[in-house]
Amino acid sequence: MGFSRGVRLSNGCVLLAITVGLVLFVGSVSSSKFDQLFQPRWAQDHFAYEGELLKMKLDNFSGAGFSSKSKYMFGKVTIQIKLVEGDSAGTVTAFYMSSDGPNHNEFDFEFLGNTTGEPYLVQTNVYVNGVGNREQRLNLWFDPTKDFHYYSILWNQRQVVFLVDETPIRVHSNLEHKGIPYPKDQAMGVYSSIWNADDWATQGGRVKTDWSHSPFIATYTGFDINACECLATVAAAENARRCSSGGEKRYWWDKPTLAELSLHQSHQLIWVRANHMVYDYCTDTARFPATPVECLHSHHY
């Protein structure tokens, strides 16, 4: 994402499970409002609060974005989003996790707007040590503008899983044993934004944003973070140690059952890839004449 990342890493990590919204998640230990977990990051005048709902708008003056007040190391983050209705061509609504600095790690959901009646595309990407170029795109099996749906990122030392309504749509596995770097040593903030990207977002930039349809509004609820919170500045290695299971300390995200997808989840991912995948960087020989090394080893369904 193209926004400044100025929040410092935090000292010591504690288990945090906070939820707010239409549905309370099982296993959450306390509940909170949006403004206890998150804060507007830019264009605060483009935010509107309606009970448990947050609405963020894009117009021809500005987009808007928010960020978590804390950074996290491992766990699961979920937000319910209802995407921009109608002609949303040129717009992008993003939900992502990112660490700081030029060698940052990042896990992206980017929802690419469309002209009315076309499928809404979701693009995912993974940055490791500042390097991205791992885009996948798929069309969703529902209309994401009509209702709220759950978008989640599960992150542990073995895999990063992108989920839509608890259905996995992408897995990024730890392949360090193959010499491939894996994002496990930088605390990450949680972010969302809505912005104009009509130079590339819709049909490769051929369809531009129609500002006569603005403001474009994305609606949020159900903010849920069940993760290891990092509280003040210490070495990244210490954060990683505090947020990893060991001895008497057993965190839920380190359960063996979460080291890889279940059989049911594997079948779900196969179905998603077979029926809804429209682009995978692993098979883009024009961009990558040599297949990216993680694509040779990853569990690609």
Side-chain angles (χ1 to χ4, degrees):
M1 309 303 305
F3 310 117
S4 63
R5 301 180 176 88
V7 187
R8 293 165 63 87
L9 280 185
S10 335
N11 175 24
C13 296
V14 298
L15 180 62
L16 182 75
I18 295 181
T19 184
V20 60
L22 303 178
V23 179
L24 292 178
F25 282 64
V26 175
S28 296
V29 296
S30 60
S31 63
S32 175
K33 298 291 186 185
F34 164 83
D35 60 4
Q36 289 180 274
L37 278 178
F38 293 95
Q39 59 197 0
R41 190 167 175 81
W42 47 287
Q44 190 161 355
D45 61 344
H46 282 50
F47 286 70
Y49 304 91
E50 299 179 5
E52 300 293 348
L53 304 182
L54 165 68
K55 294 188 173 184
M56 213 161 51
K57 74 176 181 180
L58 164 69
D59 57 26
N60 57 349
F61 297 102
S62 178
F66 63 80
S67 62
S68 59
K69 294 182 176 181
S70 296
K71 297 275 179 103
Y72 305 92
M73 184 89 78
F74 309 130
K76 186 177 182 182
V77 177
T78 299
I79 297 181
Q80 294 179 58
I81 308 173
K82 184 161 61 173
L83 294 170
V84 177
E85 293 189 64
D87 182 353
S88 57
T91 71
V92 171
T93 304
F95 163 47
Y96 61 106
M97 297 183 71
S98 181
S99 59
D100 294 334
N103 297 316
H104 72 288
N105 300 327
E106 187 172 322
F107 314 137
D108 293 338
F109 276 103
E110 292 180 307
F111 302 95
L112 311 183
N114 62 86
T115 52
T116 304
E118 294 185 3
Y120 225 104
L121 293 179
V122 55
Q123 175 170 288
T124 58
N125 202 355
V126 175
Y127 285 73
V128 184
N129 297 334
V131 179
N133 298 322
R134 298 180 177 89
E135 296 91 352
Q136 293 181 358
R137 288 188 184 186
L138 54 88
N139 54 52
L140 294 166
W141 50 95
F142 51 82
D143 184 341
T145 72
K146 298 304 182 191
D147 295 295
F148 289 98
H149 291 269
Y150 295 84
Y151 302 97
S152 306
I153 299 168
L154 169 68
W155 174 35
N156 59 34
Q157 296 190 76
R158 300 296 297 277
Q159 60 179 357
V160 180
V161 185
F162 295 77
L163 303 119
V164 174
D165 292 334
E166 289 301 301
T167 295
I169 65 166
R170 179 173 186 166
V171 176
H172 183 83
S173 300
N174 186 333
L175 298 170
E176 287 180 306
H177 62 287
K178 300 288 188 181
I180 299 168
Y182 179 78
K184 67 171 191 179
D185 59 356
Q186 300 180 40
M188 304 176 82
V190 185
Y191 303 87
S192 186
S193 57
I194 182 169
W195 46 291
N196 179 42
D198 67 4
D199 55 333
W200 65 272
T202 306
Q203 296 182 28
R206 288 187 295 276
V207 181
K208 302 300 183 182
T209 303
D210 183 347
W211 294 109
S212 70
H213 293 150
S214 69
F216 303 100
I217 297 172
T219 309
Y220 299 78
T221 191
F223 304 93
D224 184 85
I225 296 177
N226 191 342
C228 193
E229 183 183 13
C230 301
L231 297 175
T233 306
V234 294
E238 176 66 9
N239 277 337
R241 186 189 67 79
R242 288 172 178 268
C243 293
S244 303
S245 297
E248 297 296 311
K249 186 174 59 177
R250 289 286 169 218
Y251 292 129
W252 68 265
W253 53 82
D254 286 330
K255 289 179 179 178
T257 53
L258 294 177
E260 58 185 13
L261 297 186
S262 69
L263 184 60
H264 175 62
Q265 288 176 318
S266 296
H267 289 158
Q268 288 180 312
L269 183 57
I270 290 169
W271 175 81
V272 169
R273 291 182 62 87
N275 294 283
H276 296 279
M277 178 80 70
V278 297
Y279 175 82
D280 183 359
Y281 78 105
C282 282
T283 59
D284 189 340
T285 55
R287 284 179 69 197
F288 304 103
T291 302
V293 63
E294 70 266 20
C295 300
L296 299 172
H297 301 288
S298 65
H299 214 33
H300 243 58
Y301 297 89

